[in-house]
Amino acid sequence: MRQYLMEHALTAESPTRGGMMGIGSDKSALILLKHCRDMKKQEMCLRLITLLLVLSCTVLFWFTISVVLMQNTGPRALKSTDEPSPAYSKQTVCPTDKPQINLQRWNIGLNSMPGDNITDEQYIKWQVLFGDGYNKERRAIVIPQTGVYFVYVKTDIHCHNVNGAANFYVELQSWNEGYPAVQTLSSALDGLVCPNGAPRTVVVGELLDLLEGDHVSVWVVEGFKLMSKSSFGAFFL
């Protein structure tokens, strides 16, 4: 009888223990799933941060390359093989006792003067309206310090004592004592059909990266006799 009661008690107790063990297993599985999900979230966050870092480094790399390319190219690049050596482009001006020029306010304006003759292929002669830096002998504006300048030429042309078609071709030229070869910075071409052609205005304007000591002048290749008046100037940006 005692043995029967003990067996009955064990039989009645067995489902309860099994249920408790089942509940414990479910909690462990839920904890494990939650841990796996947290690990996946952390992994996704790390991948996203790594991707952002790679994209940032790539953008910075291409930005640096673009800046270097812009510094090595520009309107001063020559089209011929007579390019100045890298040593010249890196040279510095020896210090002198001359006062520093306030570039923020530097500008110069010139008006044309009658030339000695009206033949083509000559530099225009100028008189100063305002500012400093005109070399009368060279008929050129002298750049005071290295930097970016806006240089312009405005010329009115008309059919004075001209018959038939006529062209006006003008160039902005530059030279420097450190590299005396003349360079063409910009040019403009226009024309008239005379004697009844309407007057025209030819304008050349360029942003130029110029060096200290550059002499910028206006060279009339063709059509000097068409010129009525002209203005020439530069200012620092």
Side-chain angles (χ1 to χ4, degrees), residues 134-219:
Y134 176 62
N135 186 321
K136 185 176 180 181
E137 180 181 357
R138 296 283 185 176
R139 300 184 180 181
I141 292 174
V142 183
I143 300 302
Q145 291 185 32
T146 299
V148 178
Y149 295 80
F150 181 76
V151 184
Y152 64 90
V153 182
K154 176 178 173 291
T155 306
D156 296 332
I157 57 175
H158 66 123
C159 288
H160 181 67
N161 297 328
V162 178
N163 291 315
N167 292 325
F168 179 74
Y169 183 31
V170 64
E171 291 182 348
L172 269 177
Q173 293 186 351
S174 173
W175 73 275
N176 193 299
E177 292 182 356
Y179 185 75
V182 176
Q183 305 176 45
T184 299
L185 303 176
S186 186
S187 62
L189 173 65
D190 205 340
L192 296 172
V193 178
C194 300
N196 299 320
R200 290 179 177 273
T201 298
V202 181
V203 179
V204 181
E206 289 285 346
L207 286 175
L208 300 172
D209 186 9
L210 299 172
L211 299 176
E212 179 178 350
D214 278 350
H215 288 58
V216 183
S217 53
V218 183
W219 176 259

Side-chain angles (χ1 to χ4, degrees), residues 19-168:
M20 294 179 65
M21 291 178 65
I23 293 173
S25 300
D26 291 341
K27 288 184 177 180
S28 299
L30 290 174
I31 293 173
L32 182 60
L33 287 174
K34 185 179 179 182
H35 180 69
C36 291
R37 289 174 182 173
D38 292 339
M39 291 295 293
K40 286 184 177 180
K41 288 182 179 180
Q42 292 179 4
E43 184 179 359
M44 290 181 64
C45 290
L46 290 175
R47 287 183 178 179
L48 181 59
I49 293 173
T50 303
L51 179 60
L52 292 176
L53 288 175
V54 171
L55 290 176
S56 301
C57 292
T58 304
V59 171
L60 180 61
F61 173 77
W62 286 112
F63 177 78
T64 305
I65 293 297
S66 301
V67 171
V68 172
L69 290 176
M70 290 177 64
Q71 291 177 348
N72 292 335
T73 59
R76 291 301 302 263
L78 301 180
K79 297 181 180 179
S80 64
T81 57
D82 297 329
E83 296 184 0
S85 63
Y88 167 70
S89 61
K90 296 180 180 179
Q91 68 180 3
T92 56
V93 180
C94 296
T96 62
D97 295 333
K98 65 180 180 180
Q100 292 293 322
I101 297 175
N102 184 2
L103 284 181
Q104 299 299 329
R105 297 183 179 180
W106 185 90
N107 60 86
I108 185 171
L110 312 171
N111 265 355
S112 60
M113 296 178 61
D116 300 331
N117 53 65
I118 58 174
T119 59
D120 294 334
E121 297 187 348
Q122 65 170 305
Y123 291 107
I124 298 178
K125 187 177 180 180
W126 307 97
Q127 61 180 357
V128 179
L129 292 179
F130 58 84
D132 298 321
Y134 176 62
N135 186 321
K136 185 176 180 181
E137 180 181 357
R138 296 283 185 176
R139 300 184 180 181
I141 292 174
V142 183
I143 300 302
Q145 291 185 32
T146 299
V148 178
Y149 295 80
F150 181 76
V151 184
Y152 64 90
V153 182
K154 176 178 173 291
T155 306
D156 296 332
I157 57 175
H158 66 123
C159 288
H160 181 67
N161 297 328
V162 178
N163 291 315
N167 292 325
F168 179 74

